Amino acid sequence: MGEKWYFQSGPEGDVVISSRIRLARNVGDLPFPDLMSARQRAAFIQRVQAAVENAAFGEGLQLRYVDVGALDQSHRMALVERHLISLEMAKAGGGLLLSDDETVSVMLCEEDHLRIQIMGAGLCCEGCWQLADRLDDLLDEGLHFAFDERWGYLTHCPTNLGTGMRASVMVHLPALERSGYLRSLINSAYKLGITIRGTYGEGTSAEGSFYQISNQLSLGLSEKQVRDNLAAVVRQLAAEERRQRAQFCAEDPLAFEDRVYRALGVLENARLLSHREVIDCVSQLRLGIAGQVVEKLDFFTAARLLGETGANSIAAAHPEAQSARERDRIRAQIVRDILGRERRVREDRSPAEGRENQ
């Protein structure tokens, strides 16, 4: 089983956490999912599974089927936590096709018949698009997606008409949030065709200064235009975020270091940690890593701290933990274990590095 994508760091990783390309697709000979009968849904899922079995994905890509409706609440919400399914699917159930490293996920019978989703670490919209496009073509051969010459791909929501593509990027913007710059940008983002939302998308707040930035419309634009527009906005935001981080540090270096090391001290020593505390502390820790204040940790460590400590992920992995307090205890232990392993790895590496530098 491959390493999960969200335990990694990628291009522009000091600001950009991840990229996602999502394609909304519907089969031409079926009503939209909200009008499908139980028999039609079952037959459709069988068609998708057959199409997957017959598709030559290559490169070792394999997709397994997950019946979301058969999962308990904690496992469903763990999928939401990892951005693999929507909150709506967690409530209503449905099917999911999933790769081992969770780079590829395909929601079945949510708002559309298929929501093809590719995710990766850092700013990697182009790489995600290439895989999404290939998967789209292969599935289209067996399923025959609904397409109109004028309107493009036909989707349940009119805002997805055209390419049916939603490109989004998760970013860490504590300096822009602190300065108030981000608030003014959110208000004017619509003019750029861009939407800035909270950590888990529409209607959610930004935890730890993590935001989702995505295209607003897909009609009248090509897939390349959507990707290029988004990447240009994200790169501009990243440059401004770095500039304001440097200014923040230069204004009071001691206060900057103090915030970073206080957060690290909590992560290294706390015996009870809520999910929100981990998010807030990792947010500060990422600033310290980017500013080279914390030299013995990197963005891979920060990614693992976030990826392994979600409330529902812990509940799913530790069903014996019945209370929030017990889950907070387990979370604190996981955090200490991750930081301890990282410290040992770097200590083992240091002597060899020292010899190489002699």
Side-chain angles (χ1 to χ4, degrees), residues 42-68:
F44 168 69
I45 288 175
Q46 289 181 345
R47 284 175 64 181
V48 173
Q49 290 175 316
V52 169
E53 290 174 2
N54 293 329
F57 294 136
E59 300 179 9
L61 177 61
Q62 292 184 327
L63 301 177
R64 58 186 175 88
Y65 177 73
V66 178
D67 182 356
V68 176

Side-chain angles (χ1 to χ4, degrees), residues 23-45:
L23 301 176
R25 296 292 186 260
N26 289 281
V27 177
D29 60 353
L30 286 172
F32 286 123
D34 57 348
L35 298 176
M36 290 170 68
S37 66
R39 178 176 294 181
Q40 285 176 317
R41 282 174 176 259
F44 168 69
I45 288 175

Side-chain angles (χ1 to χ4, degrees), residues 305-336:
L305 287 170
L306 292 176
E308 292 193 18
T309 57
N312 294 288
S313 296
I314 290 177
H318 299 274
E320 74 283 0
Q322 295 296 311
S323 66
R325 180 184 174 86
E326 180 61 15
R327 289 190 289 273
D328 287 351
R329 184 194 66 78
I330 292 172
R331 182 180 295 106
Q333 183 65 60
I334 291 172
V335 168
R336 295 200 307 276

Side-chain angles (χ1 to χ4, degrees), residues 171-189 196-197 206 209-211 213 237 240-241 244:
V171 291
H172 183 220
L173 303 174
L176 297 187
E177 184 182 72
R178 177 177 178 267
S179 69
Y181 178 91
L182 188 61
R183 192 180 309 111
S184 63
L185 180 62
I186 290 174
N187 294 332
S188 61
I196 302 177
R197 295 188 173 112
S209 305
F210 294 104
Y211 291 85
I213 303 178
L237 276 177
E240 182 62 21
E241 169 69 21
Q244 293 199 25

Side-chain angles (χ1 to χ4, degrees), residues 206-226:
E207 299 177 350
S209 305
F210 294 104
Y211 291 85
Q212 278 191 28
I213 303 178
S214 62
N215 63 297
Q216 188 146 8
L217 298 173
S218 63
L219 184 62
L221 296 171
S222 69
E223 290 93 344
K224 187 176 188 308
Q225 286 175 316
V226 171

